[in-house]
């Protein structure tokens, strides 16, 4: 459970290691770079002129404007629920995740030429991690933090589906490689986990007047993961191909299929895990009263 500072700190460290490994695989290992390109090709091949406007709308929903509005709305929701620490953390998270992604992009910028894309449609050198994927996952996870406990599994399922829809859109438009999406998701996860650890440590030291929240049942969070996967699959099918063509295409493009499923699974696991584990304002231990007093 994420009710104490220790577990989220450990998970944040694990996510940081996973982020570093993802970067090495994306930038330095020829075999995985090739697989990254093959998976991207599978997405790009699905794009059609009539589909592009919809993909643009979904992708641009994670632009700075909507991103800033989401930060304000979610902070106000948390504040209205009496969760001042969460309300403060949300805008800070939005700034830190975005700034970190942009910094990593420029510090680690290097060309990743993919012959299939041709000379005029290459992914930019400063593309890892994906800013849109970072933004989408940040919005999804902060929505989980701001929501009441009983709604968190539902919010997690919707949020993971949204993060997947944004990822599939930017991939089909040819803006990023799949590894860029993984990097974006992990950046968001690291900071949200650090925020949870900070909130829990401060609540233990200075208990909130709002009192403890009921923990989400693990079964609800697992259900959110499953629902998120199903919804992501439906969204992916609707965005990327006609339903009766999707299975045949997936079977003939195995690298694409693996990448698409891995993105959906990671999004559902991250958001569902937050729904299972997060509980602000842990209960404060009180000394037992003496008998007869």
């Amino acid at each position: 459970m994420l009710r104490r500072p220790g577990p989220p700190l450990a998970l944040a460290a694990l996510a940081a290691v996973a982020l570093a490994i993802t970067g090495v695989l994306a930038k330095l290992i020829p075999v995985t770079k090739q697989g990254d390109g093959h998976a991207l090709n599978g997405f790009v091949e699905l794009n059609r002129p009539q589909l592009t406007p919809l993909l643009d709308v979904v992708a641009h929903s994670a632009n700075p404007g909507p991103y800033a509005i989401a930060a304000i709305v979610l902070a106000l929701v948390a504040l209205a629920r009496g969760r001042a620490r969460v309300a403060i953390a949300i805008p800070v998270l939005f700034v830190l995740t975005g700034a970190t992604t942009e910094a990593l992009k420029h510090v680690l910028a290097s060309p990743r030429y993919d012959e299939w894309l041709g000379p005029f449609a290459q992914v930019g050198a400063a593309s890892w991690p994906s800013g849109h994927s970072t933004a989408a996952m940040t919005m999804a996870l902060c929505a989980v933090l701001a929501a009441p406990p009983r709604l968190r599994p539902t919010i997690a399922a919707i949020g993971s589906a949204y993060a997947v829809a944004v990822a599939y859109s930017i991939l089909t438009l040819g803006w990023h490689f799949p590894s860029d999406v993984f990097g974006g998701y992990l950046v968001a996860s690291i900071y949200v986990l650090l925020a949870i650890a900070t909130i829990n440590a401060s609540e233990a030291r200075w208990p909130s007047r709002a009192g403890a929240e009921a923990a989400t049942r693990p079964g609800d969070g697992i259900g959110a993961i499953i629902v998120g996967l199903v919804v992501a699959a439906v969204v992916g099918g609707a965005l990327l191909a006609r339903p009766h063509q999707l299975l045949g295409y997936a079977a003939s493009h195995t690298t694409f299929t693996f990448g698409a499923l891995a993105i959906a699974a990671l999004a559902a696991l991250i958001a569902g895990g937050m729904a299972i584990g997060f509980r602000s304002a842990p209960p404060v231990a009180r000394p037992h009263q003496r008998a007869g007093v």
Side-chain angles (χ1 to χ4, degrees):
M1 299 294 288
L2 305 183
R3 288 174 286 175
R4 300 182 302 277
L9 284 175
L11 288 172
L14 183 62
V17 172
L19 177 66
I21 292 172
T22 302
V24 170
L25 294 176
K27 297 280 190 176
L28 301 178
I29 308 300
V31 173
T32 49
K33 288 173 64 177
Q34 185 179 36
D36 214 10
H38 287 167
L40 173 61
N41 296 344
F43 279 99
V44 173
E45 284 183 357
L46 289 168
N47 199 1
R48 300 290 184 273
Q50 64 271 23
L51 188 59
T52 300
L54 175 60
L55 297 173
D56 275 328
V57 169
V58 175
H60 288 302
S61 69
N63 278 7
Y67 187 64
I69 292 171
I72 295 170
V73 170
L74 292 175
L76 290 175
V77 169
L79 192 61
R81 295 187 53 246
R83 300 297 167 182
R85 291 181 175 97
V86 175
I88 294 170
I90 286 173
V92 174
L93 283 169
F94 272 61
V95 172
L96 289 177
T97 57
T100 299
T101 293
E102 289 304 311
L104 288 174
K105 277 184 177 183
H106 290 90
V107 170
L108 302 176
S110 61
R112 287 180 285 171
Y113 185 81
D114 188 285
E115 185 176 356
W116 185 90
L117 293 174
F120 304 110
Q122 294 295 314
V123 175
S127 64
W128 186 92
S130 161
H132 285 82
S133 296
T134 303
M137 184 56 74
T138 299
M139 287 189 277
L141 296 182
C142 286
V144 172
L145 299 189
R150 290 184 180 180
L151 292 180
R152 283 179 190 148
T154 301
I155 298 298
I158 295 170
S160 62
Y162 168 68
V164 171
V166 170
Y168 286 179
S169 296
I170 62 176
L171 292 172
T172 307
L173 291 168
W175 295 359
H176 284 280
F177 288 97
S179 60
D180 302 344
V181 173
F182 295 134
Y185 285 178
L186 290 168
V187 168
S189 301
I190 290 167
Y191 277 107
V192 172
L193 286 165
L194 290 175
I196 291 173
T198 303
I199 290 169
N200 289 347
S202 66
E203 290 284 4
R205 177 68 173 170
W206 301 285
S208 171
R209 291 183 180 181
E213 291 184 333
T216 305
R217 293 175 300 176
D220 292 339
I222 294 170
I225 295 174
I226 296 172
V227 171
L229 285 170
V230 173
V231 173
V234 172
V235 170
L239 286 176
L240 302 180
R242 294 187 180 94
H244 68 276
Q245 294 178 337
L246 187 60
L247 291 178
Y249 188 87
S252 61
H253 295 74
T254 53
T255 307
F256 151 79
T257 303
F258 177 80
L261 291 176
I263 288 169
L266 182 60
L269 180 63
I270 291 170
M274 296 291 179
I276 292 172
F278 176 65
R279 183 175 87 174
S280 65
V284 181
R286 296 180 178 178
H288 294 291
Q289 292 182 331
R290 289 177 298 173
V293 176

